Amino acid sequence: MNDSNGLGFYLPGALLLVAAALKAPALYRNPRDELLRSVVTLLVLATAVFGFTAIPTLVAVNRITGIPNAAAPVVFSLLTAFSGANIVLIFRWSSGPEDAERTRRRSRLCTVVTLAVIAAVNVLFALGDTPVERLRDLDTYYASTPYIREMILLYLAAHTTAAVTMTLLCRRWAREVHGPLRAGLTLIASGYVLNLLYDAAKFSAIGARWAGGDWDVLSAEVAPAFASVSALLVGTGFVLPLVSQHVTGQWDMWSRYVRLRPLSRELRAATRHSINLAGGPWTPIEIRLTQRESDIHDGILTVSPYLHAAVREQALRRELAAGRPADEAEAVADAAALARAVVLWGRARGGPEPAAPRAASPVLISPNTPSGLVRMSRALATSATVRSCRQAAAAEQGTPA
């Protein structure tokens, strides 16, 4: 799979780099978000693993440094760092606010151990001797070389330990969750099972060399294939729940924004735009929704002197008697009182009639929650009770409904 042009490694690496770039703006806005920082670090390290494992990159590193096989400790260090970053991310991902301090301690310990292994790998390489460049079979070619042998075994041992740890952590957590998070954890665990197969292939090839055999194909061909698929599964497993959460959140906000349109239209004339966040067609939905909800509350405040508890109570009794659930009945009653208040406010605004006295206490209940606003908006668009109150108010004032 690791062909001479490296496309089998560069292409998945590019996809992971794109995923990291997509998360970078969020990290720039929230630099102290430890979970987000861990995700971006993981994606960057995964990209580096793919990039530096490709044959053209190995050749380039060796040529630039002038040291045969200088790329080997670089690759081993990146693999070790990637494994450590996975464990740190799982620690931070699976812990709640009450476990923050313990998570920091475990993350620091994992980071220290990872850095120690990376340092040892590079020291052992510096102490050893690798005069012949080996791009595909360094593990087996130098399997009996002092210090290089220990370097290879150290990185494989660290990699195996991380794979076992991640597999157990992900499987245990996956039993407690559902949906995209469970799917993501299953992908990660599957990726680390392939990592274990990678380690098994490497150890088998090295053991065969010690015994005088030749199983180099396991190390040079089979193991890299396991590693490539594993990195994709692990990267996808981490990204999937985060992307799903983002998409779900965006969908929920757009849905609320659209469903609040009837209420926004009802209060359009009474809205004074206490804030103005709109910035054209490219305005994010978070800002659009905030603007709409602010305008709605501003409009309700404007017409509040014309809200009457008696109108609301009458509509509420009618809806409850008709068998409507309590929360929907309250939304219809609030919408009916609001529709009548808008008509009275419009009539007073256009004539000499003085404004009605402001209510001593809030009349409406639904605007206190986002879901209540949505139910109230739906009632304005669909309820016969609301239409009846609006028409009655218009008829009383002598204006068309």
Side-chain angles (χ1 to χ4, degrees):
M1 186 170 183
N2 199 355
D3 47 26
S4 58
N5 58 24
L7 288 179
F9 282 72
Y10 289 141
L11 290 178
L15 292 176
L16 291 169
L17 182 60
V18 169
L22 292 175
K23 302 301 294 183
L27 180 61
Y28 179 78
R29 293 192 297 269
N30 304 283
R32 296 188 177 181
D33 189 326
E34 294 183 344
L35 177 59
L36 188 57
R37 189 165 62 242
S38 296
V39 171
V40 174
T41 300
L42 178 82
L43 292 173
V44 170
L45 285 172
T47 301
V49 167
F50 273 107
F52 279 88
T53 308
I55 293 293
T57 308
L58 297 178
V59 173
V61 172
N62 293 339
R63 295 295 180 270
I64 291 172
T65 60
I67 302 173
N69 303 301
V74 175
V75 172
F76 295 164
S77 297
L78 287 172
L79 286 170
T80 303
F82 178 71
S83 299
N86 276 265
I87 296 175
V88 169
L89 179 53
I90 283 292
F91 285 160
R92 289 175 175 169
W93 201 7
S94 60
S95 64
E98 66 281 1
D99 300 324
E101 186 55 37
R102 185 181 66 173
T103 300
R104 290 192 188 95
R105 289 197 303 269
R106 295 167 72 184
S107 299
R108 282 196 295 266
L109 176 61
C110 181
T111 301
V112 169
V113 172
T114 300
L115 293 175
V117 172
I118 291 173
V121 163
N122 286 272
V123 169
L124 289 169
F125 179 79
L127 293 174
D129 185 23
T130 58
V132 180
E133 183 180 61
R134 308 302 298 186
L135 299 176
R136 290 183 171 87
D137 63 347
L138 180 140
D139 308 76
T140 51
Y141 188 87
Y142 290 106
S144 299
T145 303
Y147 298 114
I148 303 303
R149 173 186 56 218
E150 285 74 17
M151 177 191 73
I152 295 169
L153 292 177
L154 175 61
Y155 109 82
L156 284 175
H159 194 256
T160 302
T161 301
V164 172
T165 302
M166 285 293 296
T167 302
L168 294 176
L169 288 174
C170 291
R171 289 189 179 279
R172 184 176 63 186
W173 191 19
R175 289 194 293 266
E176 303 173 1
V177 295
H178 303 280
L181 179 55
R182 185 171 188 172
L185 291 170
T186 302
L187 286 174
I188 295 170
S190 301
Y192 271 98
V193 169
L194 291 181
N195 266 347
L196 289 173
L197 295 178
Y198 166 91
D199 295 327
K202 289 284 188 179
F203 278 123
S204 299
I206 293 171
R209 273 294 181 121
W210 290 344
D214 184 358
W215 291 4
D216 288 10
V217 66
L218 291 178
S219 178
E221 301 295 337
V222 176
F226 283 142
S228 180
V229 178
S230 169
L232 281 178
L233 288 176
V234 171
T236 303
F238 277 115
V239 171
L240 176 63
L242 299 173
V243 171
S244 175
Q245 183 182 23
H246 176 75
V247 171
T248 301
Q250 291 288 305
W251 174 262
D252 289 343
M253 284 188 286
W254 273 109
S255 177
R256 278 172 54 199
Y257 181 80
V258 171
R259 288 188 290 173
L260 287 174
R261 183 178 296 164
L263 186 52
S264 177
R265 287 178 174 175
E266 186 80 16
L267 293 165
R268 181 177 298 167
T271 298
R272 294 172 296 189
H273 291 289
S274 57
I275 62 173
N276 190 3
L277 303 174
W282 302 109
T283 303
I285 182 56
E286 295 90 344
I287 296 178
R288 290 173 181 266
L289 181 60
T290 299
Q291 179 76 68
R292 176 159 286 184
E293 290 180 337
S294 175
D295 288 347
I296 287 171
H297 285 288
D298 186 56
I300 291 174
L301 182 64
T302 299
V303 303
S304 60
Y306 301 89
L307 291 169
H308 294 286
V311 174
R312 182 186 184 278
E313 291 302 319
Q314 183 180 5
L316 179 61
R317 287 195 298 269
R318 184 186 307 172
E319 293 299 311
L320 291 175
R324 193 178 295 274
D327 56 350
E328 294 185 14
E330 287 186 346
V332 171
D334 286 340
L338 181 67
R340 182 177 186 275
V342 170
V343 173
L344 298 180
W345 173 84
R347 165 68 169 76
R349 186 181 59 158
E353 181 176 323
R358 184 176 295 275
S361 60
V363 173
L364 306 183
I365 302 298
S366 300
N368 294 335
T369 63
S371 58
L373 274 182
V374 170
R375 287 192 296 268
M376 189 175 169
S377 183
R378 183 171 60 245
L380 279 167
T382 62
S383 172
T385 299
V386 174
R387 288 195 298 271
S388 175
C389 281
R390 185 186 293 114
Q391 292 168 354
E396 289 172 7
Q397 301 300 331
T399 59

